[in-house]
Amino acid sequence: MSRILLINTNIVKAPYPVPPLGLCLLAERLATRREVRVFDGTFAGNDGLVEAVRSFAPDYVGLGIRNIDDMNLAAPSEYLDDIERLFVRPLRDATRATVILGGSGFSLFAEPLLRRFQVEWGVVGEADAALPALLDRLDAGQDADDLAGVVRLQHDTVVFGASVCSAGVLDVPFSRIERWIDFTPYRRLGAYPVQTRRGCAHGCTYCTYPAVEGRAYRLRPVQAIVDEIEDIGKRLPGATIEFVDSTFNDPPGHAESICAEIVRRGLKLRLRTMGINPGGITDELFTLMKAAGFAQIDCTPDSASPRVIRAMGKNFAPEALTRAAGLIARHRMPTTWFFLFGGPDEDLETVRETFAFIDQYVRPEDLVLMGAGLRVYPRTGLHRRALREGIVRPDDPLVVPAFYVSPAVGRERMLAILREAARTRPNCLPPGESTPDARMLKEAVEMRVREGLDEPMFVTLLRLRRAWPRFAGIGGPAPIA
Ligand code: B12
């Protein structure tokens, strides 16, 4: 039986640490026929890595690369140097095992990363079928270049396998994360991730989700999702469960069915989700979400200007936004709003339109995260536009982050506008700010205990920020659930 060591190279802990869901799903799948271990670098860095490699003596090492950078135009952080220093180089010295790269960050930049790390094999996109198939071929000493999703660096050429994501039902095992890594610190600071479907059929011009997950929706059966959630509730009572779908309420009906099944089973849960598409918010959805135990959501319109919404290729009409805001208020759903300023066709007038929406419709107790500029990813519509407008060069692999900022606004003016907006609106955070000041966090934790508050952490932090504007940073999605 061959042995594989899967390594989580993600050392990013902001806005909160995220457990390596994809890696644990792969571990569960591979463990039926192979010896598998997972090394989690999030809190350990590379402490114990060489010892783990020496004692386990793997035949294969899978390196999961999730984040390349933090997409923050104001003060970008890039992670590849750390990944190379902490994981790639020590591994080279410690083992001759075959290295395989994968993960969402890798998938976006497969060719430059294989070259940079001089690794022969990689998997682009979901690896649930591709990785076991690749290992079977390598075990048997066979060629694997033709496998869907597999990429190979050979004689300085990168060979891509066929298409990546198939259509149909999404069949994944329970991730059982705590079987593979120490979940304790994640439980304290973050949440247990669950995925309900893959694929994104929308055409947002700047977005990578279709490239990572494919365009066709593949839904996980509702019973399987709720079985897993029920199981997590038993294994880790009280843990917050977070849906990590790129948008939770697409395609229509799936989220509603999941919530209805949770309610039917009478489960008592604390749930939250990123990526609520404002176009798909309905009264029924929020009624079911509240009944199922949703304590907070992220809503991601990105702009409230009809012109920019259109230029970004978003799927909703501007009227849907005001309707969504009305429903958020009516259902008192604690919400973090995401707006990206400086996108295609943005000018001072469209910036004003978005702020007019925020001022009129976003409740002061809800949080607004303001991003400046759009990270340009290869082969997106925004990439083509940035090329046309001379904002990026044709030979730029975009691994070092490049940002699109509408020339009609400009980088410096955009940043100045957003800083000023954050100064005058206590619930709006400037670009890149999502982690709370340590003193403020301490105060918030004490206040929650003192007053027995059960609200999302960001709501408590916003109260403090309003009371003491001297505190600069306050948290995005709750760092402590
Ligand atoms: C959900 C999500 C979040 C949530 C996470 C919540 C949580 N509790 O997990 C939140 C909102 C907190 C978040 C934050 C951030 N995120 Co995010 N996030 C995502 C999203 C939408 C899904 C990730 C996910 O869980 N997928 C489900 C699992 C099952 O899939 P997976 O991990 O990709 O694993 C599969 C494959 O990748 C592959 N695979 C995975 N590992 C390995 C390893 C090997 C060896 C192999 C062969 C294959 C393989 O197989 C797996 C199973 O099929 C992705 C985009 C996307 N659609 O993938 C962005 C994404 C990963 N995020 C991204 C970024 C940048 C960030 C932030 C840095 C943003 C910021 N400035 O705060 C932070 C970092 C947080 C952190 N601590 O790491 C980028 C990364 C690209 C980049 N530029 O670096 C992505 C790709 C989105 C984008 N803009 O393109 N994120």
Side-chain angles (χ1 to χ4, degrees), residues 414-433:
M414 190 76 267
L415 287 172
I417 291 171
L418 297 185
R419 282 193 201 109
E420 179 58 16
R423 204 183 58 76
T424 51
R425 295 171 176 84
N427 64 336
C428 292
L429 294 198
E433 217 175 89

Side-chain angles (χ1 to χ4, degrees), residues 216-477:
Y217 288 121
R218 283 149 307 133
L219 310 187
R220 211 177 151 197
V222 171
Q223 294 300 326
I225 298 164
V226 184
D227 285 351
E228 178 172 22
I229 291 172
E230 189 168 2
D231 193 52
I232 297 165
K234 285 189 192 131
R235 282 169 13 227
L236 303 162
T240 300
I241 294 173
E242 176 168 39
F243 292 98
V244 296
D245 306 327
S246 44
T247 48
F248 178 61
N249 55 336
D250 283 318
H254 191 48
E256 287 85 343
S257 307
I258 295 164
C259 294
E261 180 60 16
I262 291 172
V263 174
R264 196 189 64 76
R265 293 194 196 182
L267 306 180
K268 294 278 165 284
L269 302 165
R270 191 174 176 87
L271 305 172
R272 71 184 194 209
T273 184
M274 59 163 271
I276 289 285
N277 178 346
I281 297 180
T282 61
D283 201 35
E284 187 207 358
L285 175 70
F286 272 178
T287 304
L288 284 166
M289 284 176 74
K290 276 269 165 157
F294 275 87
Q296 69 189 92
I297 61 163
D298 291 352
C299 186
T300 47
D302 295 335
S303 174
S305 153
R307 188 171 0 130
V308 179
I309 289 174
R310 209 173 323 112
M312 283 177 165
K314 311 284 298 181
N315 77 325
F316 57 83
E319 309 77 73
L321 253 192
T322 41
R323 205 181 53 235
L327 288 169
I328 284 172
R330 173 130 53 90
H331 288 266
R332 296 207 182 87
M333 181 67 93
T335 299
T336 299
W337 292 82
F338 285 76
F339 289 99
L340 294 171
F341 291 87
D345 287 0
E346 186 94 273
D347 59 19
L348 294 179
E349 179 51 32
T350 62
V351 170
R352 264 193 291 276
E353 283 171 342
T354 295
F355 279 116
F357 172 84
I358 292 172
D359 291 340
Q360 191 175 351
Y361 294 106
V362 173
R363 301 177 306 161
E365 62 269 36
D366 283 341
L367 183 64
V368 177
L369 295 187
M370 302 186 293
L374 274 60
R375 169 49 158 125
V376 183
Y377 289 100
R379 299 174 292 280
T380 56
L382 186 68
H383 185 200
R384 290 187 285 281
R385 181 160 176 162
L387 285 170
R388 273 200 311 278
E389 294 179 8
I391 290 173
V392 298
R393 290 194 328 270
D395 61 350
D396 184 347
L398 304 171
V399 180
V400 173
F403 293 87
Y404 183 94
V405 180
S406 168
V409 187
R411 182 184 190 279
E412 293 315 315
R413 188 156 52 162
M414 190 76 267
L415 287 172
I417 291 171
L418 297 185
R419 282 193 201 109
E420 179 58 16
R423 204 183 58 76
T424 51
R425 295 171 176 84
N427 64 336
C428 292
L429 294 198
E433 217 175 89
S434 65
T435 318
D437 175 293
R439 288 168 309 153
M440 190 178 201
L441 190 55
K442 184 167 172 288
E443 178 65 24
V445 171
E446 285 166 8
M447 182 173 167
R448 288 163 74 83
V449 174
R450 202 170 52 237
E451 298 181 18
L453 298 175
D454 193 30
E455 65 200 12
M457 187 63 171
F458 82 77
V459 176
T460 314
L461 288 163
L462 273 180
R463 277 177 208 284
L464 285 177
R465 192 176 203 243
R466 266 191 299 272
W468 296 323
R470 71 178 183 281
F471 283 118
I474 88 117

Side-chain angles (χ1 to χ4, degrees), residues 6 10 12-19 21-23 25-26 62-71 79 100-105 107-108 123 125-128 131 191 193 195 198 208-209 212-213 242 244-246 274 298 375 377 434 477:
L6 296 169
N10 180 14
V12 181
K13 294 190 213 41
Y16 50 94
V18 300
L21 172 62
L23 216 59
L25 288 176
L26 295 177
L63 280 181
I65 302 181
R66 181 197 198 276
N67 299 321
I68 306 297
D69 60 278
D70 65 353
M71 308 193 300
Y79 307 118
I100 302 164
L101 303 183
S104 43
S107 301
L108 299 169
V123 177
E126 65 183 24
D128 312 65
L131 183 59
Q195 194 178 35
R198 290 193 189 145
T208 59
Y209 296 165
V212 177
E213 300 184 9
E242 176 168 39
V244 296
D245 306 327
S246 44
M274 59 163 271
D298 291 352
R375 169 49 158 125
Y377 289 100
S434 65

